[in-house]
Amino acid sequence: MTENAWTRWPSREALGRAGTSRPRRLLAWIVRLLVLALLLWSAFSQRHVGLWGAFAAAAGVLLAALVAWAFFQSTYEHRLLPSLGFMGVLLGIAVAAEATGFTGPALLIWCGCGVGALERLPLGAALPVTSVALASYSAVNNDVWLTTAATVAGMALAGYVLRLDAEARGSAQRLLAQERAARAAEAESAALAERARIAREIHDVLAHSLSAQLVHLEAARLLIENGADRDRILERVVAARGMARDGLAETRQALSALRGELTPLEDFLAELVSTADGAEVTVTGERRPLSAEASQAVRRVAQEALTNVRKHAQGAKVAVRLAYSEHEVTLDVRDSGGRPGELGGAGGGYGLLGMRERAELLGGSLDAGPDEEGFVVTLKVPV
């Protein structure tokens, strides 16, 4: 059934105590204790009943308190029939109190039923209950009609104001819960993104390092199979060891980069080409700050491009150009062509596909292919 303003319950947040300040909860308990004390005093102060009658009246007061608690619980669980049943019991207790001469407690219970129904029940059910309770109060009350009418209007207004206040508190609680859930989801998403970033960086470093090592180890294997002299074999083994050492250094550098401790990109490229024969680096444009991800992408692509030159174009001259523009930075690695390496099929490493995926993750692009002389790799990433 579709809910509307007449059939909709106040929210659980509105009917619960969450979001209520400590002074307000303390005040609510003080009011309840005062009402209970007033009812008990009324039960024992009546002169027309004996001691046993007073105790019976006190038992009726405690029963009313228990039923009121049950009413609060059933409304919190949005159970309409039990809530109306408990409200009917309270109205019946008030009628019994009036019939036995306990007019004060009866009036107090009727007022409480009228206010509580408006505060906690759907309006379609609250209005009839409130009407019955306040009409009973008006019929029994001995005050002048104007005072009675003002009291009835005040009770009805108080119940509705309490309802609106509870709904406002409930809405605030729901918004707070949604905000906390959104923050938790954002934190989880950031943690997952950071884990993916760390995994990608470590993978790229290891892929590049192991690929380079495999080139030299495969060369050493071929030299051994062909009966080459010891010095040539040792040269390849030493080179593989150097690649392993460089891989460890690059891993430490990647971890430092993840902590925001990046060395300048230009210095990195200069150091990188210093280890390659016939390579030079050129930097043009006004230097602009890059994000850690963009800077790492440029570094990894430069490393992989130089590794591919060693594998596929031995003896080629390499020109590395880093160009800054207003909105992007461009890395261009161009070789002059060389003899095909006998280890061109060795490794598998990061490769052009991995470089392209890294660029696209940053909103950039990567183009790789032969040109007039040799092979060129061009990376563009936004600044």
Side-chain angles (χ1 to χ4, degrees):
M1 182 177 63
T2 303
E3 289 188 344
N4 54 39
W6 295 100
T7 61
R8 184 173 60 247
W9 282 86
S11 65
R12 287 180 178 269
E13 294 83 2
L15 297 176
R17 292 179 296 178
T20 305
S21 63
R22 185 174 181 180
R24 188 167 180 172
R25 290 197 300 269
L26 180 61
L27 178 62
W29 276 108
I30 291 175
V31 171
R32 292 168 187 169
L33 291 176
L34 286 177
V35 170
L36 182 60
L38 180 61
L39 290 173
L40 290 174
W41 178 83
S42 300
F44 283 99
S45 64
Q46 298 293 327
R47 297 182 179 276
H48 66 280
V49 296
L51 181 61
W52 292 108
F55 278 110
V61 170
L62 296 178
L63 175 62
L66 181 61
V67 174
W69 176 83
F71 168 76
F72 274 64
Q73 287 297 116
S74 62
T75 55
Y76 178 75
E77 297 171 0
H78 290 178
R79 299 167 61 195
L80 182 60
L81 291 180
S83 300
L84 293 177
F86 290 129
M87 185 59 68
V89 172
L90 286 174
L91 293 175
I93 292 175
V95 171
E98 168 61 23
T100 54
F102 293 92
T103 303
L107 295 176
L108 194 59
I109 292 175
W110 277 322
C111 289
C113 288
V115 173
L118 271 180
E119 181 186 4
R120 304 183 68 87
L121 289 174
L123 285 178
L127 290 180
V129 173
T130 300
S131 299
V132 171
L134 296 183
S136 300
Y137 170 87
S138 302
V140 175
N141 190 28
N142 293 325
D143 292 334
V144 296
W145 70 268
L146 186 59
T147 302
T148 300
T151 302
V152 169
M155 291 294 104
L157 181 61
Y160 192 68
V161 168
L162 288 174
R163 182 190 189 92
L164 294 179
D165 178 71
E167 283 289 11
R169 187 179 70 251
S171 297
Q173 285 298 306
R174 289 193 298 275
L175 289 175
L176 180 60
Q178 292 172 1
E179 182 180 358
R180 288 174 177 171
R183 288 180 178 179
E186 182 179 356
E188 182 178 1
S189 176
L192 292 175
E194 185 66 12
R195 291 173 188 172
R197 177 187 170 197
I198 293 173
R200 187 168 59 249
E201 293 297 336
I202 299 302
H203 167 268
D204 292 350
V205 168
L206 293 178
H208 167 77
S209 174
L210 294 176
S211 176
Q213 291 177 56
L214 185 59
V215 169
H216 292 288
L217 291 176
E218 184 68 12
R221 184 186 67 81
L222 293 176
L223 288 174
I224 293 173
E225 291 179 353
N226 295 328
D229 60 82
R230 179 178 179 276
D231 291 338
R232 292 182 62 191
I233 297 173
L234 182 61
E235 179 184 357
R236 289 295 185 176
V237 174
V238 171
R241 186 188 64 177
M243 289 296 175
R245 184 177 58 250
D246 294 342
L248 291 176
E250 290 172 9
T251 301
R252 286 193 292 270
Q253 185 182 45
L255 294 176
S256 297
L258 292 172
R259 292 192 294 265
E261 302 171 0
L262 282 171
T263 58
L265 182 57
E266 296 81 358
D267 296 343
F268 173 84
L269 294 177
E271 182 179 356
L272 183 65
V273 300
S274 67
T275 62
D277 296 333
E280 60 180 12
V281 62
T282 304
V283 180
T284 61
E286 182 181 354
R287 187 181 186 280
R288 297 180 178 275
L290 298 178
S291 65
E293 292 84 354
S295 180
Q296 284 295 91
V298 174
R299 295 163 195 257
R300 295 291 166 259
V301 169
Q303 286 177 323
E304 183 64 26
L306 290 178
T307 298
N308 286 340
V309 170
R310 288 194 293 266
K311 290 168 61 176
H312 303 288
Q314 295 180 6
K317 293 187 176 298
V318 183
V320 179
R321 185 175 67 89
L322 182 67
Y324 289 99
S325 63
E326 184 177 0
H327 301 293
E328 65 181 12
V329 61
T330 302
L331 174 71
D332 189 86
V333 181
R334 188 182 304 268
D335 66 71
S336 61
R339 66 182 184 277
E342 60 182 351
L343 303 176
Y350 180 49
L352 294 178
L353 178 60
M355 289 192 288
R356 183 170 291 107
E357 289 176 351
R358 174 181 279 273
E360 291 174 352
L361 284 174
L362 299 173
S365 63
L366 184 138
D367 295 319
D371 66 352
E372 296 179 355
E373 296 182 354
F375 199 83
V376 60
V377 176
T378 302
L379 169 71
K380 294 182 180 181
V381 291
V383 176

